[in-house]
Amino acid sequence: MGKNDKKSSDKPAGKGKAGADKESGGGKAKGAQSINVRHILCEKHAKKEEALAKISEGVKFDEVARNYSEDKARQGGALGWKSKGSLDPKFEDVAFALEPSTTNNPKIGEAKTEFGYHIIMVEGRK
């Protein structure tokens, strides 16, 4: 009799539906599918640390990007709007977790990719 009881409790009709609803209802808690992102890219850890110190001192993020970033950061590190899946996964994990902020008071994250060390900030989400 115990075996029959287990079989009947293994398959309640409501459980399967609830699981399907959870999956379709929003497995992506963060919500944003694209972000307006800026970064500072440094090949060397020491240079990244110098850039972080400048940001800590209150220098605007875009100004630090123009002075320290080793990519073509003519726009103050602006990469523009990027959708999920279009960036390096290590960079993307950090960037999509950040709250939007401004270059005057940036909320930053850091990532290391094959390109170097990134200091990342997000200006918008949608």
Side-chain angles (χ1 to χ4, degrees):
M1 282 181 109
K3 289 180 183 176
N4 288 341
D5 291 342
K6 283 183 185 176
K7 283 183 182 175
S8 65
S9 66
D10 283 349
K11 299 179 185 177
K15 220 178 202 181
K17 287 181 183 176
D21 289 345
K22 284 180 187 172
E23 286 175 25
S24 63
K28 295 176 183 169
K30 293 186 177 85
Q33 291 303 305
S34 61
I35 52 173
N36 188 5
V37 64
R38 289 181 183 262
H39 80 143
I40 299 167
L41 173 64
C42 300
E43 190 177 313
K44 303 282 186 206
H45 184 266
K47 190 166 184 178
K48 180 211 46 142
E49 292 297 316
E50 285 179 39
L52 282 172
K54 291 292 182 188
I55 292 168
S56 296
E57 291 168 11
V59 180
K60 287 177 64 177
F61 189 95
D62 54 338
E63 187 177 324
V64 176
R66 279 191 285 275
N67 293 324
Y68 285 86
S69 192
E70 295 171 1
D71 70 344
K72 296 175 182 134
R74 295 184 192 102
Q75 304 278 317
L79 297 175
W81 286 96
K82 298 293 179 184
S83 58
K84 267 196 174 163
S86 68
L87 298 163
D88 181 286
K90 292 174 190 168
F91 184 103
E92 194 169 279
D93 287 347
V94 173
F96 274 89
L98 288 170
E99 290 180 37
S101 60
T102 65
T103 57
N104 290 332
N105 189 18
K107 295 179 182 175
I108 58 172
E110 298 178 52
K112 178 160 184 349
T113 68
E114 64 181 282
F115 304 104
Y117 297 90
H118 302 265
I119 304 168
I120 306 164
M121 71 161 286
V122 171
E123 291 185 291
R125 299 167 69 88
K126 60 182 179 182

